[in-house]
Amino acid sequence: MPSVTGTNAHPCPASAESVPIYFCPKSAALMKATTSILRPFVNIVQSRAFNSVLSLEPSGPTVKTEIPGPKSKQLIAELQKTQNAQSTAFILDVDKSIGNYCVDVDGNVLLDVYEQIASLPLGYNHPSITQVFTDPKNLSQLVNRPALGVNPTPQYVKQIEQTLHPIAPKGMDHIQPMMCGSCSNENAFKAICIWYAEKQRNGKPHTEEELQSTLLNKAPGSPNVTLMSFEGGFHGRTIGALACTHSKAIHKLDIPTFDWPIAPFPRYKYPLEENERENKKEDERCLARIEELFHEYNKNNKPVVGAIVEPVQSEGGDYHGSKEFFQNLQRIIKKNGAALLIDEVQTGLGATGKFWAHEHFSLPESPDLVTFSKKFQTGGYFAKKEFNPKQPYRIFNTWMGEPSKLLVLDAILKTVKNENLIENTRKTGDVLLNGLKDLSKKYPNLILNTRGLGTFCAFDMKNSSVRDKFTTKMRNAAVMIGPCGDVSIRFRPALIFTEKHANIFLDKMNEVVKNF
């Protein structure tokens, strides 16, 4: 398959064509107003977008007030009147944010190494994306949101072929758009269960007993099958995804769940090169338990039909698994007749230095399903063709994704290719990770277990209180980073994060740590 950047990425699709749009006066006025608002960014679209957006950035982060500042606090108080706003760090001024820098309503300019929980591939107000919203031929797709399962448009059909199909993991022909990570995983679970049931019936039609019993939530129509997940994993906040989430208690408290198997995920000792023997034993321990769980649940008539796993456990603490672990995991799953679902919601689209993070593992064959969202600005899953249900309405909702988001994804993929951003991520990731390792050597009692792939980096601190204090101090030094797990700090910069930005961050971090 041809590549975006070298041999490890995927091709960038051509734009989906649009049918002509005939403007009414109101439509023309709307486009004129939109263009006026975005004019500062539209003016530079014709130049190289990557370099252009960086040229608009400030020289560095600056702090005017404590964060959150007085304006943020006032707006947070207003928000608290109608919803729980306790997780709000500050109020974002998205109009003034640009590239790798976010600006709050108090005028503080922060270097953003978290990028809206890993969801902005090109930073803020990137011209290649703003152009999508100012191009008149895109207007009908921006203002209309059809029920794609029953009334897809010609443009949408082309978007599937030209935007999504070229980035599909090897061996995957079925493409199912969705809206977010949780619903992508939920529907992938359904696809696995349907696939397994079809195998059990040998292609025969559903029986009357199945049709009636499923309406009562009973077998055989609602079979007692299970999905395996991993300690520390995070796959979403809807019921099924939450049953496979084991990162923090607060996510799951008071919510009913399923008796599904929970397997251990490796917890390595760092540096990896000094702990090869111990880490190999850790892989063996986890794999042995996975084998046991398959046997236990199958013996108890709760067959494990699939397993969901992240290439790097992100929300749970940025825990990594070795290439050997994932290769053997796939072997065990395949031997037991189950499906392997890899959750690339946070790891996909180049953050680890490869387009798909599971490409690091050199798996003997492709996974059965791969979910995506966040940096893709939309969601969904890719799957082998046997996971495409035979009957209509089985994987279905009103919108089944959104055409306008595929327009944005198309622009993102072009920029990733044209600006060689995955290679940029690999190079910048080396600078960032090596800098973190140097700081770990300098402050070994504070910065622990540095690790990463590309710019998908992390380190641990002594405990959660130290980690949370450090996160606050970094924010007040005008650097936005993200916590994860119990004691970890994670890095999720945009793909336009360069060596210059990495060095600014490392200098700021050194200042904070020195005075911590």
Side-chain angles (χ1 to χ4, degrees), residues 76 292 324 412 427 490 503:
I76 292 171
E292 290 176 356
E324 292 75 20
I412 290 166
K427 290 180 179 179
R490 56 178 157 171
N503 286 322

Side-chain angles (χ1 to χ4, degrees), residues 429-500:
D430 288 342
V431 173
L432 179 60
L433 185 57
N434 288 332
L436 292 172
K437 288 180 177 179
D438 289 342
L439 287 170
S440 182
K441 291 175 183 177
K442 190 174 179 181
Y443 305 100
N445 296 321
L446 189 61
I447 303 168
L448 315 170
N449 303 328
T450 54
R451 54 201 183 272
L453 294 170
T455 55
F456 209 91
C457 297
F459 64 87
D460 296 335
M461 306 197 85
K462 285 183 179 181
N463 54 53
S464 60
S465 61
V466 171
R467 188 271 311 274
D468 295 344
K469 179 182 176 183
F470 177 79
T471 303
T472 300
K473 284 187 174 294
M474 286 295 290
R475 187 186 306 142
N476 280 293
V479 176
M480 188 67 180
I481 54 177
C484 63
D486 295 325
V487 297
S488 302
I489 297 288
R490 56 178 157 171
F491 296 82
R492 300 294 186 266
L495 303 179
I496 61 169
F497 190 76
T498 67
E499 295 180 28
K500 169 190 171 182

